[in-house]
């Protein structure tokens, strides 16, 4: 930081950054709930999904309200998911880290925006197996705009462009790794846009460690599920009426095409694609790949130094 701050002033600024991040996290909760459903993220005000009563500002304070309400709606007592305070806490951490890493700067704001988009995408993918274009395209745009302004991790504009192109093209390579390691047949197109966005922000060289980290963690989780005997493929109970159960060979594991609502969803289709989309169900107890890509990207963003000290070969990509 250019300014010399007293410890008290620094603590105040850090608390403010964490609060800004938590408010961003609170907004992300709205994004996570509404974007996959194609609803506005601006209107109406937040309401309880069960009783419909509007949520007052004092019941909408990040983390604090959830604790004070003891995870229940004030009006009807409906449980409020732990995801709300978790996303707010993660947002707060992202705000604090951005300030500590880059000071009070445009670069800190850009990093908070990048991490916020990734958090929204990860939780939406966990929830719905979708990575909406409405979020992956802004991620890609943010990476491409931030690079020439020196506001991202990409070392240059060229590296950001190459990262976007390689990330997009690496779809095939990752699909092969996914099939071999995760027993998943293909990646959805949402994963391709996500990887393009990660490449644009991080630069082409960072894609390899990011994909390695996410595949490693994805395979640990996948193997754990197998070890727990919970990996039998089959239709999820939450997808009734989606046709007869199909064997594993007939159900690609990563989603109809993962792109979700957005302009491109209209551009694709063909009756076959629509049928596949309706018939597709996630394999039982499996997990989507997007959250692992996000985890890998965040680990490389924050921990590239320690990771390359532990695995010096990865220093080539740092
Ligand atoms: Zn309620």
């Amino acid at each position: 930081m250019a300014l010399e701050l007293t410890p008290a002033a620094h603590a105040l600024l850090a608390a403010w950054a964490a609060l800004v991040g938590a408010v961003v996290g609170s907004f992300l909760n709205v994004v996570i709930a509404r974007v996959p459903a194609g609803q506005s993220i601006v209107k109406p005000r937040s309401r309880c999904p069960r009783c419909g009563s509007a949520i007052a500002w004092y019941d909408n304070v990040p983390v604090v309200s959830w604790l004070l309400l003891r995870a229940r709606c004030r009006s009807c007592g409906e449980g409020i998911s732990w995801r709300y305070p978790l996303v707010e806490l993660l947002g707060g951490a992202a705000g604090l880290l951005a300030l500590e890493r880059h000071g009070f700067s445009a670069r800190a704001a850009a990093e908070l925006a990048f991490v916020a988009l990734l958090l929204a995408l990860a939780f939406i993918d966990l929830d719905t197996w979708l990575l909406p274009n409405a979020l992956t395209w802004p991620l890609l745009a943010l990476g491409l705009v931030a690079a020439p302004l020196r506001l991202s991790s990409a070392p240059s504009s060229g590296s950001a462009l190459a990262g976007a192109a390689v990330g997009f093209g690496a779809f095939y390579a990752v699909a092969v790794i996914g099939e071999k390691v995760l027993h998943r047949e293909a990646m959805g197109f949402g994963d391709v846009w996500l990887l393009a966005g990660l490449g644009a922000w991080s630069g082409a060289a960072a894609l390899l460690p990011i994909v390695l980290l996410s595949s490693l963690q994805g395979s640990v989780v996948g193997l754990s599920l197998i070890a727990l005997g919970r990996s039998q493929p089959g239709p999820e109970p939450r997808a009734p009426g989606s046709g007869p159960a199909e064997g594993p060979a007939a159900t690609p594991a990563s989603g109809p095409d993962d792109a979700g609502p957005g302009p491109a969803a209209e551009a694709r289709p063909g009756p076959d694609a629509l049928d596949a989309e309706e018939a597709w169900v996630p394999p039982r107890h499996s997990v989507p790949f997007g959250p692992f890509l996000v985890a890998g990207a965040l680990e490389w963003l924050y921990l590239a130094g320690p990771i390359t000290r532990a695995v010096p070969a990865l220093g080539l990509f740092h």
Side-chain angles (χ1 to χ4, degrees):
M1 210 176 296
L3 296 169
E4 282 298 321
L5 291 176
T6 64
H10 183 91
L12 203 63
L13 192 59
W16 173 79
L19 182 66
V20 168
V23 170
V24 168
S26 184
F27 175 66
L28 291 181
N29 279 316
V30 176
V31 170
I32 292 164
R34 295 189 186 176
V35 166
Q39 297 165 347
S40 165
I41 53 175
V42 188
K43 299 185 291 191
R45 288 181 52 88
S46 297
R47 287 173 185 284
C48 169
R50 183 170 160 208
C51 70
S53 59
I55 295 166
W57 66 267
Y58 50 80
D59 285 341
N60 214 0
V61 179
V63 185
V64 176
S65 291
W66 188 82
L67 292 172
L68 289 179
L69 290 166
R70 288 188 283 177
R72 304 252 155 234
C73 168
R74 186 184 288 278
S75 301
C76 71
E78 172 82 342
I80 306 170
S81 167
W82 51 267
R83 188 179 74 197
Y84 288 85
L86 175 65
V87 171
E88 287 157 359
L89 280 173
L90 291 171
L96 184 57
L97 281 167
L99 179 79
E100 294 298 323
R101 284 157 52 82
H102 306 297
F104 185 79
S105 64
R107 177 149 186 197
E111 184 177 287
L112 179 58
F114 173 68
V115 175
L117 282 166
L118 291 188
L119 290 175
L121 283 163
F123 282 95
I124 288 173
D125 203 14
L126 276 177
D127 237 18
T128 65
W129 289 68
L130 294 171
L131 292 168
N133 294 333
L135 294 171
T136 52
W137 291 354
L139 182 77
L140 178 59
L142 174 68
L144 292 176
V145 169
L149 301 172
R150 318 284 307 162
L151 297 180
S152 71
S153 305
S156 68
S157 300
S159 172
L161 279 171
V166 172
F168 197 89
F171 155 68
Y172 296 105
V174 176
V176 169
I177 293 171
E179 190 176 347
K180 293 260 192 298
V181 177
L182 303 176
H183 304 288
R184 307 241 326 255
E185 297 201 1
M187 300 187 76
F189 226 73
D191 292 304
V192 179
W193 286 116
L194 173 56
L195 205 56
L198 294 179
W201 176 275
S202 313
L207 280 172
L208 187 73
I210 288 172
V211 170
L212 279 176
L213 286 166
S214 38
S215 301
L216 190 68
Q217 286 156 100
S219 58
V220 166
V221 170
L223 290 171
S224 304
L225 290 175
I226 289 168
L228 292 169
R230 298 178 59 185
S231 65
Q232 284 78 23
E236 288 275 85
R238 70 176 152 122
S242 58
E246 293 172 31
T251 52
S254 76
D257 68 9
D258 248 7
E266 293 151 20
R268 258 176 269 125
D272 286 348
L274 287 177
D275 284 350
E277 195 154 336
E278 277 169 26
W280 184 85
V281 288
R284 192 192 298 251
H285 301 310
S286 60
V287 283
F289 194 49
F292 293 103
L293 281 173
V294 167
L298 292 179
E299 287 153 12
W300 193 249
L301 177 70
Y302 293 128
L303 300 171
I307 290 170
T308 50
R309 279 195 289 282
V311 188
L314 288 178
L316 279 175
F317 306 98
H318 185 18

